[in-house]
Amino acid sequence: MNQPVYIVGAGPGDPDLITVKGHNLLAQADVVVYANSLIPDIMLKVCRSDAEIIPTASKTLDQIVEILIERSHSQKLVVRLHDGDPSLYGAIHEQIIALAAADIPVEIIPGVSAFQLAAARLQVELTIPELVQTIILTRISGRTHVPKSEDLASLAAHQASLCLYLSARHVVEAQAKLLEYYPSDTPVAICFRLGWQDEKILTVPLSQMAEVTKSENLTRTTLYLISPALRNRLNLNSERSQLYNTSHNHLFRPFI
Ligand SMILES: C[S@@+](CC[C@H](N)C(=O)[O-])C[C@H]1O[C@@H](n2cnc3c(N)ncnc32)[C@H](O)[C@@H]1O
């Protein structure tokens, strides 16, 4: 029986934002294969001093998979550490398939995605009743092609809380597509390296999204949060959830 490979979500960069299970696996691992371009080294401070630490920024997927398979065959406890949550833009699909073909079981430990830390930092609910009830996680087409049916302009038509990953290099095009449906004064939080030492969050009107991104030179590790909910930050007169309304009874509070 081959040793499982643990695909662990590291969270956005703050070492306190990994799950307990992910932390424990990282602390026990014989081998940690990690995406060093997106995960700060501080995340590895819990690793054993004799653990084999393998950065992957300069490796191909085939090389990474080969390492995972070889170390698993050697009965090592292998952690494949991905930034944020592995299910989002983590290219884990290809790794899972290759590991399954090699008869190696996989366990995935979820992580906090960048959009969740963005909402926490901004102290905002992305699903304010009557205002917005849908969150879209997407990216613009780049080297990775986005299916036509998910074109950014068509998603913008929903005017939902939209979390835009992997798009800073194409921000002019992204802004133009968003402006087809969102009002130009819709707030956009430009979130650079959330959870890292040099984290920066700038909230601007949609019409300035590209200009500010460029003037701040934000090309990598930037998430955009476009949402009508950002207008309501600290507005105490804004819509209240029916869940806490005294006239709204439910299973756990039937008789108010
Ligand atoms: C390859 S994707 C991985 C996303 C990751 N799996 C997640 O759940 O957050 C990398 C992109 O995610 C976003 N991202 C990841 N970590 C971030 C962070 N700490 N701050 C801001 N954006 C981040 C950026 O859009 C970046 O270009």
Side-chain angles (χ1 to χ4, degrees), residues 140 152 164 167-179 206-207 209-211 213-214 224:
I140 200 161
L152 188 56
L164 191 60
S167 299
R169 284 185 197 280
H170 304 280
V171 66
V172 173
E173 187 190 347
Q175 178 180 312
K177 283 178 181 275
L178 293 166
L179 278 170
L206 175 55
S207 55
M209 175 182 172
E211 182 192 323
T213 301
K214 285 186 184 296
Y224 298 97

Side-chain angles (χ1 to χ4, degrees), residues 159-221:
Q159 297 190 34
S161 289
L162 193 144
C163 309
L164 191 60
Y165 288 75
L166 292 160
S167 299
R169 284 185 197 280
H170 304 280
V171 66
V172 173
E173 187 190 347
Q175 178 180 312
K177 283 178 181 275
L178 293 166
L179 278 170
E180 288 184 33
Y181 291 98
Y182 286 96
S184 63
D185 65 346
T186 304
V188 177
I190 307 174
C191 306
F192 173 72
R193 283 193 169 175
L194 294 157
W196 293 54
Q197 299 283 337
D198 54 352
E199 169 182 300
K200 193 187 284 188
I201 301 177
L202 303 159
T203 305
V204 302
L206 175 55
S207 55
Q208 290 173 22
M209 175 182 172
E211 182 192 323
V212 173
T213 301
K214 285 186 184 296
S215 65
E216 294 284 326
N217 204 18
L218 306 177
T219 48
R220 302 183 58 228
T221 325

Side-chain angles (χ1 to χ4, degrees), residues 240-249 253 256:
R240 296 187 64 189
S241 168
Q242 287 303 308
L243 194 60
Y244 296 103
N245 188 317
T246 46
S247 65
H248 180 78
N249 297 337
R253 198 187 55 214
I256 292 180

Side-chain angles (χ1 to χ4, degrees), residues 228-247:
L230 292 173
R231 289 189 202 281
N232 286 47
R233 288 173 64 203
L234 300 183
N235 177 359
L236 299 178
N237 293 322
S238 63
E239 295 81 355
R240 296 187 64 189
S241 168
Q242 287 303 308
L243 194 60
Y244 296 103
N245 188 317
T246 46
S247 65

Side-chain angles (χ1 to χ4, degrees), residues 17-116:
L17 288 180
I18 188 169
T19 62
V20 174
K21 191 163 187 177
H23 175 279
N24 291 344
L25 282 164
L26 208 49
Q28 291 162 21
D30 297 307
V31 184
V32 178
V33 182
Y34 83 113
N36 51 311
S37 54
L38 284 162
I39 297 175
D41 286 346
I42 194 169
M43 289 300 305
L44 305 175
K45 69 174 195 251
V46 301
C47 295
R48 288 178 5 217
S49 57
D50 62 341
E52 183 185 14
I53 308 287
I54 305 176
T56 58
S58 61
K59 297 199 186 311
T60 65
L61 193 68
D62 286 346
Q63 290 171 324
I64 295 168
V65 168
E66 196 180 311
I67 292 168
L68 298 177
I69 292 174
E70 196 277 323
R71 302 304 191 276
S72 164
H73 282 162
S74 308
Q75 297 303 305
K76 300 277 173 69
L77 196 167
V78 183
V79 166
R80 172 71 172 117
L81 192 64
H82 276 274
D83 67 301
D85 182 75
S87 71
L88 290 171
Y89 309 114
I92 60 169
H93 175 69
E94 300 88 324
Q95 298 174 64
I96 293 167
I97 302 255
L99 290 168
D103 211 19
I104 295 173
V106 166
E107 189 176 337
I108 301 178
I109 319 298
V112 174
S113 184
F115 89 92
Q116 293 166 303

